[in-house]
Amino acid sequence: MKLHTTGILVIVWLGIFTLHTTEGSVASQSMRKLSCVNLSAQKVDIRSIVSYEKQKVPVEAIMFITSNGIKICVHPDQKWVQNAMKRIDKRRTSKRR
């Protein structure tokens, strides 16, 4: 009888442990990096931008990252945004060589 009870307790414990670790890994996978929701209408000084990321969801946007680590979301169709992206891409390719 003791062996039967011990077996059930071990199975319950394993079930709880598995559920707990699965929830932890799922929660950590669903954590997303910062995403753009609101877009800035102001032009950013291109010289202060060091990088950018493209985003499609929840809104189509470009997230510029400044040398101070500030993240600014802008609409990708603006001419100055496209020029800034080209300039950053040029800097990236010249550093790789």
Side-chain angles (χ1 to χ4, degrees), residues 52-70:
Y52 71 89
E53 296 176 10
K54 294 180 181 180
Q55 174 185 300
K56 298 272 185 197
V57 177
V59 294
E60 189 171 355
I62 300 297
M63 180 190 294
F64 284 131
I65 299 137
T66 68
S67 55
N68 295 334
I70 298 170

Side-chain angles (χ1 to χ4, degrees), residues 12-55:
V12 169
W13 181 81
L14 285 174
I16 292 170
F17 178 77
T18 303
L19 180 64
H20 179 69
T21 55
T22 303
E23 285 178 352
S25 63
V26 169
S28 62
Q29 289 174 4
S30 66
M31 301 251 325
R32 294 188 59 198
K33 60 185 174 184
L34 182 66
S35 63
C36 300
V37 178
N38 297 320
L39 303 180
S40 174
Q42 291 185 333
K43 187 175 178 180
V44 180
D45 182 12
I46 293 175
R47 294 173 295 186
S48 68
I49 301 170
V50 294
S51 183
Y52 71 89
E53 296 176 10
K54 294 180 181 180
Q55 174 185 300

Side-chain angles (χ1 to χ4, degrees), residues 71-84:
K71 297 177 178 175
I72 304 160
C73 298
V74 293
H75 197 280
D77 292 339
Q78 297 179 45
K79 185 69 175 167
W80 75 268
V81 172
Q82 295 170 7
N83 288 338

